[in-house]
Amino acid sequence: MNHVFPPAAQVVLHVAGREALFPVRRVYCVGRNYADHAAEMGADTREPPFFFSKPADALVPGGGDVTYPPMTSNLQHEVELVVALGKGGSSIPADQALECVFGYAVGFDLTRRDLQSRAKDKGHPWDMGKGFDQSGPISDIQPVAVVGHPGKVAIWLKVNGELRQSGELAQMSWKVAEVIANLSTYVCLAPGDLIFTGTPAGVSTVVRGDVLEGGVEGVGELTVRIV
């Protein structure tokens, strides 16, 4: 049977050091997973993990130029470790969750903070604050077989050479295995799923012309220019 119009292209990411592509299925994000960022967003206690999503075609593989989005005057950056799943399942035990990880990447969760804040105040969904076009720049995926599972390593982001975010993955309130296990109680995870795992403190506003450079030690770096 024919399609009524050509189907959208499969979103894929490059796998570092291999002639291979990682097909993306779904993109999940963890909110407020670093205590210092949670505090700057107004939370004062460790919360159970909560999740939101971005559409797969909001990803910007490899970074590069990102268009400043409409309907905002407060675009903010969030640098994150991204988990790429090679296996999935439901209600995955935490002590088995890392077996599902294919690799890791560096991602920027770009946020229309003014839209998100208004949505929070009204109890509305965050979709238009988080899931807009080009809101998810992401680096190549580093396979676990090469880099292992990152632990107490640095995560950072600079804007125009000035350090804005600096932390360690060890500061995550919920570690990677816990995040996977908890998320899998809500949805059936599958190969191709990505999980943005949260950001340290220091998020700030960016404007056209700004250059964002971020990285996770041992995983990689990512550069974006807002145009």
Side-chain angles (χ1 to χ4, degrees):
M1 186 176 294
N2 294 328
H3 296 287
V4 297
F5 50 81
Q10 169 72 58
V11 177
V12 296
L13 304 177
H14 286 280
V15 177
R18 295 188 186 178
E19 292 294 326
L21 297 173
F22 181 93
V24 178
R25 191 183 82 114
R26 295 178 180 172
V27 181
Y28 300 101
C29 306
V30 187
R32 297 179 180 176
N33 198 29
Y34 287 72
D36 52 0
H37 174 61
E40 71 181 354
M41 292 292 102
D44 58 5
T45 59
R46 183 181 190 236
E47 301 175 306
F50 68 94
F51 304 94
F52 58 94
S53 297
K54 291 180 183 282
D57 64 2
L59 298 175
V60 185
D65 287 353
V66 169
T67 302
Y68 191 95
M71 301 301 294
T72 185
S73 59
N74 190 11
L75 179 67
Q76 295 194 356
H77 58 74
E78 299 184 6
V79 61
E80 312 204 6
L81 174 73
V82 182
V83 180
L85 298 185
K87 298 178 182 178
S90 297
S91 299
I92 301 167
D95 62 0
Q96 299 175 22
L98 292 184
E99 298 172 13
C100 297
V101 179
F102 170 80
Y104 295 94
V106 180
F108 296 163
D109 172 15
L110 299 179
T111 302
R112 294 193 280 205
R113 192 71 72 195
D114 42 3
L115 270 65
Q116 183 197 29
S117 296
R118 289 200 293 270
K120 286 180 182 178
D121 290 343
K122 295 181 179 180
H124 291 173
W126 294 6
D127 297 59
M128 294 300 101
K130 287 287 193 177
F132 53 92
D133 298 338
Q134 297 188 312
S135 61
I138 187 169
S139 72
D140 292 351
I141 296 173
Q142 292 282 358
V144 166
V146 176
V147 300
H149 296 287
K152 297 180 179 180
V153 299
I155 179 171
W156 56 272
L157 183 138
K158 297 179 180 179
V159 179
N160 302 325
E162 177 187 348
L163 187 64
R164 297 283 182 87
Q165 292 184 266
S166 180
E168 291 186 354
L169 298 186
Q171 296 169 330
M172 286 195 293
S173 298
W174 300 95
K175 310 310 181 191
V176 169
E178 295 172 316
V179 167
I180 294 170
N182 190 279
L183 180 56
S184 74
T185 66
Y186 291 97
V187 294
C188 182
L189 297 173
D193 288 345
L194 300 178
I195 307 173
F196 282 62
T197 58
T199 196
V203 300
S204 60
T205 301
V206 293
V207 298
R208 289 181 178 87
D210 282 348
V211 175
L212 284 59
E213 303 168 274
V216 176
E217 183 183 351
V219 173
E221 298 184 2
L222 179 65
T223 301
V224 159
R225 182 167 66 103
I226 308 297
V227 298

